[in-house]
Amino acid sequence: MTTGAPRFAGPGDLHLHSNHSDGTETPAEVVRQAHAYGLGTVALTDHDRTTGWGEAGDQAVALGMTFIPGMEFSSRHEWRSVHVLGYLFDPTDAALVAETNRIRDDRIGRAERIVRNISRDYDLTWDDVLAQTAGDATIGRPHIADALIARGIVADRGEAFDGVLHPRTGYYEPHYAPDPLTAVRLITDAGGVAIIAHPATAGRDRMMPVAFIERLIDAGLAGFEIEHRENTEEGKRMLRDIAARHDLIVTGSSDYHGAGKPNRPGENTTDEGMIARLIDRGTGSAPRYPAPGSLSERSESK
Ligand code: AMP
Ligand code: FE
Ligand code: FE
Ligand code: ZN
């Protein structure tokens, strides 16, 4: 059982968030949670940033797990927010770094505008939001939600998103985000693997048109995150059909955000064959494997 070849054990969870974006735990804590839920392979996919990779990778390897570096890239198609998961890309790629810096910078001004709007009706300040934000985390509505919770205005993030933070309530402001074609090209050109996150969250009308998805495939899109608690059953069927026709990678993941969402690590998983295809395709950065003789190898052979 010592071939020297890279290997990984069991299904993986390829979509988890730390407090480098809108999760509530440090990268190492996120990996420890994934381990506690029995996962052998894990990816950290914070929104628009890669700063958690080192800490998460170190913890994964120490626990005998395989680590796949990732990110969830914010893009927009017409009115739809489209999240593109990127894996195994070069985190120093100049074009990709410039675009994610631009998104993160604009997210700050946008969050300030949302808070200013909310403060017309509620007792909420920008300092309240900063108090909920770790370091220079990618800021988003979840941090505003946490500030609303701290102020006693809502009970949890879900209530905040259903009410004050929902676009229909009138306080919402958009942030800069490029077209999904740009996101797919930037990830792919940086040696990465682009997978659309939760592509079918709210029914057919909210899903990108199939013709546009096919343009993304032509631009290098590698696959879809199909098993995700927010994808509709009808959407999953359509996605499986497109994936089969184009021989795409299909993944399943939790989208864990710590205490910020009910999602638990491993509630959906990606099988070993798909993880192998992802690793074969990604050339911009390397997965990290546990050392021979580490925990996972021992548990594999028992
Ligand atoms: P933003 O990118 O700032 O517009 O915020 C969107 C983020 O909020 C997503 O990445 C989700 O993780 C999170 N989110 C959306 N809806 C909910 C919800 N109902 N409960 C908790 N978090 C949510
Ligand atoms: Fe999020
Ligand atoms: Fe997302
Ligand atoms: Zn996510």
Side-chain angles (χ1 to χ4, degrees):
M1 174 71 231
T2 44
T3 60
R7 65 199 175 283
F8 46 90
D13 190 336
L14 303 183
H15 185 167
L16 303 111
H17 294 268
S18 77
N19 63 2
H20 287 229
S21 63
D22 55 2
T24 60
E25 298 166 346
T26 64
E29 284 165 350
V30 170
V31 172
R32 285 195 289 274
Q33 284 295 325
H35 183 259
Y37 278 86
L39 291 157
T41 300
V42 73
L44 187 74
T45 55
D46 278 310
H47 298 282
D48 310 310
R49 74 183 312 144
T50 61
T51 44
W53 288 7
E55 181 185 319
D58 287 349
Q59 179 66 86
V61 167
L63 290 169
M65 302 168 79
T66 295
F67 176 73
I68 297 179
M71 183 179 77
E72 189 172 12
F73 197 126
S74 305
S75 77
R76 184 172 300 115
H77 179 248
E78 296 170 348
W79 65 91
R80 304 176 188 88
S81 165
V82 175
H83 288 174
V84 184
L85 291 160
Y87 298 103
L88 299 161
F89 58 86
D90 175 1
T92 69
D93 180 86
L96 189 132
V97 167
E99 193 66 7
T100 48
N101 284 347
R102 181 173 173 194
I103 296 167
R104 290 201 315 276
D105 285 350
D106 196 69
R107 277 175 163 283
I108 299 170
R110 171 262 196 162
E112 286 181 296
R113 287 192 293 278
I114 294 178
V115 169
R116 204 175 311 134
N117 294 343
I118 294 172
S119 70
R120 293 195 303 258
D121 297 322
Y122 297 93
D123 193 10
L124 186 78
T125 68
W126 181 239
D127 280 342
D128 293 335
V129 177
L130 291 181
Q132 301 300 324
T133 309
D136 61 348
T138 304
I139 206 156
R141 282 181 289 162
H143 301 97
I144 303 173
D146 290 346
L148 290 164
I149 297 165
R151 280 279 183 182
I153 297 166
V154 297
D156 55 34
R157 284 187 182 183
E159 187 186 334
F161 273 89
D162 287 344
V164 181
L165 295 174
H166 196 284
R168 79 169 113 69
T169 318
Y171 305 116
Y172 182 82
E173 303 275 349
H175 63 76
Y176 167 76
D179 183 88
L181 276 166
T182 302
V184 167
R185 288 191 185 117
L186 284 169
I187 292 164
T188 308
D189 290 350
V193 186
I195 305 270
I196 305 177
H198 45 71
T201 48
R204 215 185 167 118
D205 55 323
R206 296 274 310 173
M207 194 165 133
M208 291 180 284
V210 174
F212 186 72
I213 290 175
E214 284 175 340
R215 285 182 62 200
L216 296 179
I217 295 168
D218 290 341
L221 182 74
F224 306 127
E225 179 183 63
I226 295 187
E227 298 306 323
H228 181 291
R229 63 157 71 203
E230 288 169 40
N231 283 335
T232 64
E233 289 306 318
E234 188 201 356
K236 287 184 201 179
R237 279 192 295 275
M238 286 178 65
L239 292 165
R240 281 192 204 103
D241 183 59
I242 302 169
R245 269 193 281 125
H246 294 271
D247 192 27
L248 302 183
I249 295 172
V250 299
T251 67
S253 296
S254 66
D255 206 353
Y256 180 64
H257 282 69
K261 280 186 172 181
N263 313 30
R264 293 299 98 184
E267 66 176 33
N268 291 294
T269 56
T270 302
D271 70 42
E272 291 185 46
M274 288 296 171
I275 295 172
R277 281 181 65 180
L278 194 91
I279 288 174
D280 281 346
R281 189 161 167 150
T283 58
S285 60
R288 292 180 60 188
Y289 297 102
S294 70
L295 296 172
S296 77
E297 191 176 46
R298 280 201 297 276
S299 61
E300 257 171 70
S301 55
K302 77 176 175 222

